[in-house]
Each structure stands twice: as structure tokens, then as C-alpha cells.
Amino acid sequence: MPFPQPAVVASRPVPGRGSPVLDHTLDVRFTGIAVPGYGPVTTRTYNGAVPGPTLRVRGGDVLRLTHVNGLPPNPPHEGDHNRPHHANSFNLHTHGMHVSPSGHADNVLREFAPRTAAEAAAGAAEPRYVTVVDIPADHPAGTYWYHPHLHGSTAEQIAGGMAGVIVVEGDVDDVPEIKAAADVVVCVSELKLEDGKVPAFTSGHWMTGVPSVFTVNGAVNPTLTLRPGEVQRWRLVAATAFTALRLTIGPERGRPSLHQIAQDGVTFAGPVPRTQVHLAMGNRADVLVRGGAPGDYTLRAAGVPAPLMTIRVTGEPLDPPMALPVSLPPGRPFLDEREVANPDADREVVFHADAGVFTGAFPNAFRMLGTNATPAADPDGDLTHDPAYGLFDPDHINHTLRLGTVERWTVRSDETMPAFNHPFHLHTNQILLTHRNGERLDPPVWHDTVGLTGGTPGQSATFLVRYEDFTGRTIAHCHQLHHEDLGMMQTVDYVQGPAPAPRDRRPAGSGGPRRSSSPA
């Protein structure tokens, strides 16, 4: 079989409009599909496929999507908002893109609900919702992705394959060596399947109790063909909800070479040789892959027992081999630490979990502590068992972020077990990672999602961010989506206006209550 590629939809000029438009319908419903290498599956899909169509746009274009919700009515939910609910409602997040978080754009506070039971019984039409995203003319060219992001239903939907790739075309695509390379989407999904279906998210053990099935472009271990000396551009997308991917090609002898050219949609100044590519949940990496000695090789992720895909190097060698570029048009200029407002008042986020806080099927509390943590229900009580402290509250704004301001954040995990990963994701603005575990990166690297594994101590990351262009309320959260749905999320509000007078925003004891072990 040829290596699978998602369907492609591209923007087009529209008479009477100055900007090209990508106008497309995303139809969401339960669909019976065949997963090559696994078998038949019934799951929620975009347009009957896993992943959904790849959307190709350019800076200055308009992305106009009509969403049809053909899912069944939601069962009633009367419990806490930080419990799984409304699994048949969704919305749309254009992950990593610098676009408006408000109105009908990249607004993850909207809900695209299905028909009610009464409407379905009466034969009412399936509801339709519209997303309109104006892409800035200077938007970095690169690889992004889209997925549902309704709090309470995100993990179950992405574990069923609701994801798709967004390609923003631009300057890097015109580099001759890149233009000559085949452009290949490699979208890795992590499906939770039991008897060919995604089981409902009904307990805290749902994630660990159901084995993951990893697919690339909807197939288990598909085979990609590469000629010796041929260069391909792979757009690696970690569309996984629970598992980070430390990717390698093996066996080592004669294997294709890897050169990374972008991280999370932002192009590097030049290709960087890699033996491993690290992708936290939600990350992307663009890599140039050049075929070496003929033979079969595998792309594997550490901790995942089966290969993600097979690379078959075969055919007539290219002589001379295809060239790699020496330099690239960098996607974004770096920030200067001297621009930081209030340098003595950095923001801090601490990912922290407490076991056995609640009764019922979801006993663990997944908290975001540190600067402006959600207040405790009882500030003078036992914070370890507080039902509100550090948990997502849709009515509480954790961070007010003023446009034009550059700030420094430090995020860390206090998990003691290295296997646990809490990727930090801030919506709307890219972040410039400057330090890992206190050590400066040279050069720094732009991200939109930063993985943080546990240990003694757990990992930390420091980054700079400038809040630019767009106002509105959105979120920062853990991109281990089991944790996000259970409350590991905060509200941020991008606002206009001058920054307030300097003050120390770091609370005492921001590390939060301690515990001896980490819940899953």
C-alpha cells in the first residue's frame, strides 16, 4: 500500500474578496472506519477519516469552517465541571496558531452541542456552527494542528482520532532544497480502543486501563518508501492525548539521517542534525530525512512497543544525493530578556496532583499551583484535600496578560515519577524557551507546548513570551488531556492597556502541598 496521506483542502481566491479563503465543512459523527493494521473501528471522526483533512493556508488567508454536529444527544450531567461530560459536544482549537481567541475564531470557550433528545425525536436538523479565523499576514509558515477542546470531552474525542493538520505555507517552502523535497504529513494519533470502540471516560483508570493503539495517518505501522540519497520533508505531529514521543530511526547502521528545521511551526535558522526528536503531546517538528543504505528501518517512540512506521530505503540511488539547505529564513525573531516587564515578579506554574481527594470514580485532584492559582475553598484548611485549590474554575481569571508586555514564566512539575509528563500549553502566543532545568539554551527555541516529566526533582522550563495583537479570554493548561479534563487548567485574559505598577506576584509556598506518590 502507498504511504497514507490525509485528504488536503487548500485556500482559494474568492471573487470580490482581497484574501483567499479556505471554506470547508467538518462533519462530525460516529463513523465505522477501517484502520489498516488494526481492523474495523467505530469512532467520532472529522469527515469520516482519522485524521481529518489537512488544511493548507497562507498568511493573510481566511479559514472558514462549518461544523456539523451529527453526534447523538448528550446524556444529562449534573456533576462537577471538572469531570468528563458532554462527550458529544465539541469546538475547535487551531493549536499553536497566533490568531484571535475570541468570538467565532479560535475560541475554546464555545460549545458546538448536538441536538437534544427532544430535537432529535422531532426530526430537527443537525446543528451547524461556524469558525472564522483571520490569519495574520506575517504568520510564521509551518506545521500546526486542529482538534476539539471543550472542557470535559477533549480527551475522549482525541483518543478517538478527532485531529487534523494545518499547514501554513510561506517563505521556508520557497527554499530550493526544501521545495525539491516531497512534503509528507506524519500525524501520530493515540487511540484508546476496546472492542473496536472508544470506551466512555468513566473513571480515573480509563487512561491506563485501556491499551493505546498508535496510528500514523490512520494506519498501524504503514510503510514509507525513500530512495538512497532522496530527501523528504516530514511534518511530524504528536496528536496524542497521553503519551510523549521520543522518536528515533533504527537500526542505527545505515539509517536515514534526520535534520530538524522547525519546532511547533517556527522555522530554525538552519537545519539541526538529530538522532532523536522529542515531542510532548501536541508538539510538532519539521524534519528533513535523507535516505541512506538500502533496507528496512523503523520509526519508534521510546516506551511504545511496536514501530510507528516502517521506512523502506530502496530503488536507484540519487547521484549526487539531494542537498540540504545551509540556512533558512527564521520563523520568528528572538525576544530579549531586557524587555521583560517587572523582572522581579516572574510568573510561576507548578503542576501538582493529590491522590484520594474526592470520592467516586475520579478520586485524584490535578492542580495548577503557583502564581494566581485558583483560590482554595478553605484557605485555612488542609490544602491537600481542598476541592477547589488550583483546579479549573471557569469563573476565575488566573492571569491577566497585557498586550505589548514581555514576561518571564517558569513552569515545573513536582511529580516524583519520571514516567508522568505534564506538558504546558499556552494558547494564542508562542513562547520562547530559554532554560531547561535552570540551564540556559543556546540558542533558545520557540514552542507552544513544553513537556515536563517528573523525577526528583521534576523538570522545569523557563520561557519568555510577548502578548501580541489579540485580546480575549482563553486558557493555559496541561496537555496530558486526561489531566486537563479533570481540572489542570487556568483561565488567561489578554487585555489592552498599560501594565500595572511592579509588584511581587509570587505567593509564598507556591509549590503547594506535598505527597509521597503520584497518581496516574
Side-chain angles (χ1 to χ4, degrees), residues 184-239:
V184 182
V185 166
V186 180
C187 182
V188 182
S189 297
E190 179 181 12
L191 309 181
K192 291 289 186 180
L193 301 174
E194 199 168 61
D195 300 324
K197 297 180 180 179
V198 181
F201 193 174
T202 55
S203 78
H205 297 291
W206 176 85
M207 183 192 70
T208 55
V210 179
S212 294
V213 176
F214 291 87
T215 64
V216 170
N217 298 338
V220 175
N221 191 18
T223 297
L224 179 146
T225 300
L226 186 67
R227 290 173 64 185
E230 178 189 359
V231 174
Q232 295 181 355
R233 177 193 191 171
W234 294 359
R235 299 180 184 269
L236 299 169
V237 180

Side-chain angles (χ1 to χ4, degrees), residues 31-301:
T31 310
I33 61 173
V35 176
Y38 178 83
V41 170
T42 299
T43 184
R44 301 174 183 88
T45 64
Y46 290 120
N47 296 2
V50 174
T54 296
L55 309 178
R56 297 189 74 103
V57 294
R58 299 183 72 90
D61 289 357
V62 176
L63 179 62
R64 188 181 192 279
L65 299 172
T66 299
H67 311 269
V68 179
N69 191 334
L71 296 170
N74 282 310
H77 176 75
E78 298 178 355
D80 188 88
H81 61 274
N82 288 323
R83 294 293 176 269
H85 61 284
H86 288 178
N88 293 326
S89 291
F90 56 92
N91 55 31
L92 187 83
H93 176 41
T94 55
H95 184 120
M97 294 190 69
H98 178 59
V99 295
S100 172
S102 301
H104 286 184
D106 183 35
N107 186 346
V108 299
L109 304 181
R110 300 172 72 195
E111 179 181 354
F112 303 164
R115 294 177 294 183
T116 64
E119 290 169 337
E126 294 171 341
R128 303 167 78 90
Y129 304 86
V130 175
T131 295
V132 180
V133 177
D134 293 305
I135 302 169
D138 61 351
H139 195 287
T143 305
Y144 305 87
W145 67 301
Y146 62 91
H147 60 83
H149 209 308
L150 184 69
H151 184 59
S153 65
T154 308
E156 184 173 327
Q157 291 169 358
I158 293 183
M162 283 185 68
V165 177
I166 301 175
V167 174
V168 179
E169 300 174 343
D171 51 6
V172 66
D173 305 297
D174 294 326
V175 174
E177 295 86 352
I178 292 178
K179 196 170 186 177
D183 193 327
V184 182
V185 166
V186 180
C187 182
V188 182
S189 297
E190 179 181 12
L191 309 181
K192 291 289 186 180
L193 301 174
E194 199 168 61
D195 300 324
K197 297 180 180 179
V198 181
F201 193 174
T202 55
S203 78
H205 297 291
W206 176 85
M207 183 192 70
T208 55
V210 179
S212 294
V213 176
F214 291 87
T215 64
V216 170
N217 298 338
V220 175
N221 191 18
T223 297
L224 179 146
T225 300
L226 186 67
R227 290 173 64 185
E230 178 189 359
V231 174
Q232 295 181 355
R233 177 193 191 171
W234 294 359
R235 299 180 184 269
L236 299 169
V237 180
T240 56
F242 318 110
T243 301
L245 305 175
R246 191 168 78 242
L247 301 174
T248 58
I249 295 177
E252 184 174 346
R253 184 181 179 89
R255 66 186 175 187
S257 65
L258 282 175
H259 288 77
Q260 187 174 353
I261 61 170
Q263 174 69 40
D264 285 356
V266 179
T267 308
F268 294 167
V272 178
R274 302 285 195 209
T275 56
Q276 294 185 343
V277 176
H278 293 249
L279 298 179
M281 300 78 97
N283 280 150
R284 288 89 55 222
D286 284 29
V287 295
L288 298 179
V289 183
R290 182 157 58 190
D296 283 1
Y297 304 86
T298 55
L299 180 71
R300 291 182 174 270

